[in-house]
Amino acid sequence: EPDGPPLIPGSAGLADYLTGVYAAFGAVTALRHRDRTGEGQEVDIALYEAVFQMLGDLVETYDHLGEVQDRIGSMNPHAAPHNNFRAKDGKWVAIGCTSNGLFAKLVKTMGQPDLLEDERFSSNRSRIAHRQEIESTVASWAKEHPADELVATLIDHGVPASLIYTVSDAFSDSHYWERGAIVRIPTDDVGDLATRGVVPRLTATPGRIDHLGGRIGADNDSVYTEVLGLKPDEIAKFRRHGVI
């Protein structure tokens, strides 16, 4: 939040995952180049660069206007009301209004069409200038309704809204299972274990998950004999001395 300290994202591995995606894209691009020219090349990317690419227009805004965007919490700096609001049951709902038309639909859904006559909220620019007032009004209204009812009502009236999912919500949503976003895979130790599916899915080669890895050391013997070329007596010697 604006008055709070910098925070790490929900997943500390975000940079690792993003860099993996960029590296894979770079590898595919390099292979396409190889197929056309016969020339290979090195794919070079740093962890910070992957995240840096996700920062929207921060670089251009600073260069052109000299503005440094500080922490903004969950609000949208370019639109209001556009934030996360707590419902009656304690769950959180994202509501977004990026135009006058959407704002008109929102206030009518709220049963407060008189807000359209308020000069403070007559345009997106003025709503941003009076963000605290309009988002406080929306927050008070949201607290009067359970999250599921809130989202359904907003969507029925054409207002972009969504429940902010926990992983438990994802497990309860059949769409995740039907899409294969969550799949169950047999394991040696804990039985069937839910994990994330293959993304993206291709029509001809959709991919699949065969296993999540064996027990620790499950492949040792094949590595020692087939990869390292060790003989049985050598392996036995290493075991006796606690090397393996």
Side-chain angles (χ1 to χ4, degrees), residues 135-158:
E135 293 196 345
S136 293
T137 300
V138 176
S140 296
W141 171 75
K143 285 181 180 179
E144 299 174 356
H145 307 276
D148 289 344
E149 175 188 311
L150 193 64
V151 171
T153 300
L154 288 165
I155 291 177
D156 285 345
H157 287 81

Side-chain angles (χ1 to χ4, degrees), residues 54-169:
M54 299 287 110
L55 298 183
D57 59 359
L58 266 64
V59 170
E60 294 78 11
T61 298
Y62 176 72
D63 184 56
H64 187 63
L65 302 176
E67 295 179 359
V68 177
Q69 180 176 300
D70 205 348
R71 296 176 294 283
I72 61 173
S74 59
M75 75 175 188
N76 184 326
H78 307 298
H82 200 302
N83 213 319
N84 301 331
F85 301 92
R86 198 161 201 167
K88 185 177 181 179
D89 53 9
K91 294 183 178 181
W92 289 87
V93 172
I95 303 175
C97 285
T98 55
S99 69
N100 290 338
L102 288 174
F103 180 67
K105 292 178 180 179
L106 173 61
V107 296
K108 289 178 181 177
T109 306
M110 294 167 56
Q112 301 181 49
D114 54 300
L115 292 173
L116 292 174
E117 309 303 321
D118 193 321
E119 282 296 318
R120 295 174 300 171
F121 313 136
S122 59
S123 69
N124 187 55
R125 183 184 294 273
S126 60
R127 289 193 294 275
I128 291 174
H130 297 90
R131 178 189 302 279
Q132 185 173 354
E133 296 96 315
I134 188 56
E135 293 196 345
S136 293
T137 300
V138 176
S140 296
W141 171 75
K143 285 181 180 179
E144 299 174 356
H145 307 276
D148 289 344
E149 175 188 311
L150 193 64
V151 171
T153 300
L154 288 165
I155 291 177
D156 285 345
H157 287 81
V159 180
S162 174
L163 178 68
I164 296 179
Y165 273 27
T166 65
V167 68
S168 176
D169 294 316

Side-chain angles (χ1 to χ4, degrees), residues 3-30:
D3 58 350
L7 300 174
I8 64 170
S11 169
L14 185 61
D16 302 271
Y17 294 134
L18 285 174
T19 303
V21 172
Y22 274 109
F25 180 72
V28 171
T29 304

